[in-house]
Each structure stands twice: as C-alpha cells, then as structure tokens.
C-alpha cells in the first residue's frame, strides 16, 4: 500500500474500547487488540460487523520468494538470467477486503419479435413482416464480488483479480512500446468458497487493509451490475425488448478478506512488481523484463515476413530491383543479432 498523507483520526473499538487509527475514507475498521471488525457510519456511529471471513493464507515470506523465482525461471519472453539476477527488494503481506454476495435474480421482460408471413395468392403472393409480442421471465443465481475500497489501482495489479483473470506484462523496454503479451483470462474468483472465519493470529505480520465501501454501498453497486447483466441477457431474447424488470434477493452477504503478497524486484537497474495470491502463491499480476534474444526472434519474424513479401513481389512482378527488400531484411536481422551478441544484456 502506498503511504497516505491524509490526516488520521481515532475511533473507539465497540468491543474492547481500544483506539483504532482511522483515515477519512475508512468505513470498515479492524481492531487488532480484540480481533473484531466494525462499520463506521457516515453519522459517526460505530456498529459491530460480525461474521467476517478470510481466504486462508498458507504461505510465508520464503515460500513466496521461492514461488516468484520459479515463475521468473519459466515461461516465454523473459530475460534468461531473470531468476538468477533479480533482486527482491520488497515482500509485503496485506489482507484486502471484498464484499461477497450470493444473489438470486428474477427478470421479467417483454418485447417484440420480427416475423414474416405470406399474404395474397397467385401472382399477388408476397411476404409481409410484422411484429409479434413476446414476454417471459428467467431466474439466475449469482456469486458477485465488490472490492471494498474505492481505488483498485492503489494496489498494483489488483484489477486483474477483479476481472477474474491474470495479467502478466512483459517489459520490452524501448524495444516495442506498448506491446503486451501473456494476458490470460479466466473465471472470476469465488471468494465465498473455502473461506473461513477471520482470525488475526492465522495471519502473522500482515497488514489488514481497512475497507472504504460499506455494506449498503456495496449492495447498491452489486445491484446495479446485476441489473445490467440481466438486461443484457434479456436484450438477446427478443428482436426488440421494451420492458425489463429485475428483482434481486441477496441471500448471503459477507465481508471476505483475501491475503495477498506485494513484491517488488529489481533487474538491471529497473523496478518490477508482482502481486501474489497468499493462498496458493500463483502470480495474479506482474511485469517482467524481456530477454534480449526474444527481441531478436521477434525482429526476425517481422523482418522475415517483410523480406519474403519483397522476394515474392520481385519474382511475380519480374522486377529485379525489388530484390533489394529481402537482402536489406537479411542485413537487418544480422545487424540486430550481432548487436545483441556484442552489447545487449539480459
Ligand atoms: Zn477491540
């Protein structure tokens, strides 16, 4: 977490009267003295928050570093000596809050379908289109997660978790600006699954991040998202949907903490980041330097295509002057490869 300069206030724990440091945006407070949570209302009233849950964190500092080095050593487009040379400069455990919902939705919709029929007979026979009214309803079960802080970007890489995928960004340096590789997508994570009651002593040396989104605000956000989802689904059920109404029933709402490791490492003078799952050690999101020979391979591929195109054009168009293109391409590849062998690091 980045340090915030905002003024700190103090609140009194509802269970044990200990003072809790509070930042202006904090709504969900944790008291490390008695292991309990409370919710701070906008009117300043503090109410206990029961049944907070935790995704189990099974790793310690060393295991996280080992998982990270293993990740550095495998996969594509990484600098060959990354695992060996990288210096891990920071490893920090945090527990971040999410609201997890189990919600049933029932959507009633009505609309029109475009139909065609034949009218007339003999030579007068033609096709006519008309609109046929249609209506129906559907029910769905949703598992929905709302991040309980306002700005996901304050924790580098957390957006990847929200979208349910992983994001690995390769750092091509100045070689290819804005090029991204290896972005995976997957199922959104179900935070209610496998969670256990929150226990601070099961999380040594971890910073419990206070939540900024209270329960009713989270419910509002989930409601909006799910209504949109149901409307999109209804819109696909008829040619024209006119009315759509969704009723939601939240069966289970829980604050679930997820343990994460924030890692910072340096490689040849540059800093990189990784966000690691505290449960199984998988890399949720990270960036890494690209190997020098990977760049040569990529140049060769691009230049090879251009060169082959040039050769084909020279041959088809019977224009010997075009042979300059493939020769120039071969020259370029040789130049990049020898420059890499002599000067490039990584
Ligand atoms: Zn307390």
């Amino acid at each position: 977490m980045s340090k915030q300069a905002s003024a700190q206030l103090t609140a009194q724990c509802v269970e044990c009267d200990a003072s809790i440091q509070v930042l202006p945006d904090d709504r969900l407070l944790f008291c490390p003295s008695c292991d309990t949570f409370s919710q701070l209302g906008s009117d300043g009233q503090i109410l206990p928050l029961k049944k907070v849950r935790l995704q189990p964190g099974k790793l310690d500092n060393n295991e996280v570093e080992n998982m990270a080095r293993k990740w550095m050593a495998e996969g594509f487009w990484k600098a060959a000596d990354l695992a060996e040379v990288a210096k891990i400069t920071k490893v920090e455990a945090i527990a971040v809050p999410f609201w997890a919902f189990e919600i049933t939705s029932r959507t009633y919709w009505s609309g029109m379908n475009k139909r065609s029929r034949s009218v007339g007979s003999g030579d007068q026979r033609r096709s006519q289109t008309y609109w046929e009214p249609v209506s129906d309803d559907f029910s769905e079960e949703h598992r929905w997660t709302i991040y309980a802080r306002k700005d996901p970007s304050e924790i580098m890489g957390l957006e990847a978790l929200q979208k349910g995928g992983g994001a690995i960004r390769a750092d091509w340096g100045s070689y290819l600006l804005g090029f991204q590789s290896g972005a995976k997508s997957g199922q959104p994570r179900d935070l209610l699954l496998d969670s256990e009651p929150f226990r601070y002593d099961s999380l040594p040396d971890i910073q419990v991040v206070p939540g900024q989104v209270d329960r009713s605000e989270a419910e509002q956000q989930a409601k909006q998202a799910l209504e949109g989802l149901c409307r999109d689904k209804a819109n696909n059920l008829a040619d024209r949907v006119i009315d759509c109404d969704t009723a939601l029933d939240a069966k289970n709402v829980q604050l679930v903490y997820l343990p994460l490791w924030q890692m910072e490492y340096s490689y040849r003078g540059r800093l990189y980041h990784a966000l690691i799952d505290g449960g199984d050690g998988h890399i949720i999101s990270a960036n890494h330097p690209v190997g020098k020979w990977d760049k040569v391979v990529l140049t060769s591929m691009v230049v090879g295509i251009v060169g082959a195109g040039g050769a084909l054009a020279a041959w088809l168009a019977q224009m010997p002057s075009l042979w300059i293109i493939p020769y120039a391409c071969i020259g370029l590849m040789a130049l990049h490869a020898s420059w890499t062998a002599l000067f490039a690091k990584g």
Side-chain angles (χ1 to χ4, degrees):
M1 302 266 343
S2 60
K3 285 204 179 67
Q4 277 169 293
S6 351
Q8 280 200 339
L9 312 160
T10 343
Q12 220 76 30
C13 172
V14 273
E15 302 287 343
C16 76
D17 271 352
S19 333
I20 308 170
Q21 301 294 311
V22 183
L23 289 171
D25 280 338
D26 292 351
R27 290 288 168 268
L28 311 172
L29 314 177
F30 173 65
C31 173
S33 316
C34 70
D35 224 0
T36 58
F37 285 86
S38 46
Q39 179 167 300
L40 177 63
S42 48
D43 53 359
Q45 209 190 0
I46 305 181
L47 294 168
L49 199 62
K50 301 283 182 195
K51 293 186 192 159
V52 177
R53 302 193 61 86
L54 175 73
Q55 281 283 322
K58 302 182 191 87
L59 305 173
D60 66 22
N61 226 298
N62 284 332
E63 285 168 312
V64 168
E65 286 205 25
N66 288 342
M67 295 293 272
R69 294 229 182 251
K70 203 175 140 231
W71 168 79
M72 287 174 187
E74 58 196 25
F76 293 108
W77 306 122
K78 289 196 186 101
D81 57 355
L82 181 60
E84 224 173 291
V85 175
K87 240 195 238 104
I88 294 176
T89 48
K90 194 179 86 180
V91 185
E92 203 176 65
I94 53 171
V96 292
F98 292 85
W99 286 103
F101 295 88
E102 264 180 279
I103 299 183
T104 309
S105 70
R106 193 170 184 94
T107 301
Y108 301 87
W109 62 272
S110 63
M112 304 281 223
N113 274 329
K114 204 173 188 171
R115 294 272 182 263
S116 61
R117 62 187 161 206
S118 328
V119 288
S121 56
D123 286 353
Q124 303 295 306
R125 198 176 171 80
R126 65 197 166 80
S127 156
Q128 188 189 50
T129 60
Y130 66 101
W131 291 93
E132 182 187 68
V134 57
S135 66
D136 205 353
D137 68 86
F138 58 87
S139 291
E140 279 182 313
E141 303 284 330
H142 309 266
R143 310 285 283 235
W144 204 256
T145 304
I146 299 283
Y147 180 46
R149 283 181 70 83
K150 288 180 177 160
D151 179 14
S153 68
E154 66 189 350
I155 295 173
M156 197 166 300
L158 198 65
E159 295 98 327
L161 198 71
Q162 281 223 294
K163 280 182 243 135
I168 310 296
R169 273 183 286 277
D171 177 19
W172 294 81
S174 55
Y175 178 72
L176 261 184
L177 284 171
F179 185 90
Q180 297 200 347
S181 74
K184 284 180 284 179
S185 67
Q187 282 295 308
R189 184 166 173 160
D190 187 346
L191 291 180
L192 289 171
L193 206 72
D194 299 330
S195 69
E196 51 188 42
F198 188 96
R199 265 181 40 235
Y200 191 48
D201 58 9
S202 68
L203 298 165
D205 295 328
I206 200 165
Q207 184 201 346
V208 179
V209 179
Q212 297 170 329
V213 174
D214 66 20
R215 184 184 165 137
S216 65
E217 213 179 315
E219 268 178 2
Q220 206 54 40
Q221 284 183 30
K223 188 171 177 266
Q224 247 176 34
L226 291 176
E227 280 173 354
L229 212 69
C230 292
R231 200 176 313 116
D232 287 348
K233 186 176 176 177
N235 280 336
N236 286 322
L237 296 175
D239 292 330
R240 191 192 286 166
V241 170
I242 298 160
D243 262 331
C244 180
D245 192 34
T246 298
L248 296 169
D249 180 21
K251 288 188 297 185
N252 188 5
V253 184
Q254 243 146 10
L255 186 66
V256 184
Y257 268 84
L258 183 68
L260 298 173
W261 292 86
Q262 284 183 300
M263 198 186 87
E264 202 179 79
Y265 67 97
S266 73
Y267 176 81
R268 299 196 189 277
R270 294 190 64 168
L271 276 184
Y272 299 89
H273 292 89
L275 187 68
I276 301 163
D277 190 312
D280 59 8
H282 91 268
I283 310 280
I284 293 165
S285 156
N287 58 357
H288 63 80
V290 168
K292 57 181 183 179
W293 290 107
D294 295 328
K295 293 175 186 177
V296 174
V297 168
L298 199 77
T299 315
S300 307
M301 285 185 328
V302 173
V303 167
I305 290 165
V306 173
L312 195 69
W315 179 62
L316 287 176
Q318 305 271 310
M319 284 173 68
S321 61
L322 284 180
W323 282 102
I324 185 85
I325 297 171
Y327 286 126
C329 289
I330 292 167
L332 205 63
M333 275 191 262
L335 211 62
H336 189 190
S338 35
W339 179 85
T340 300
L342 293 173
F343 306 112
K345 293 189 166 77

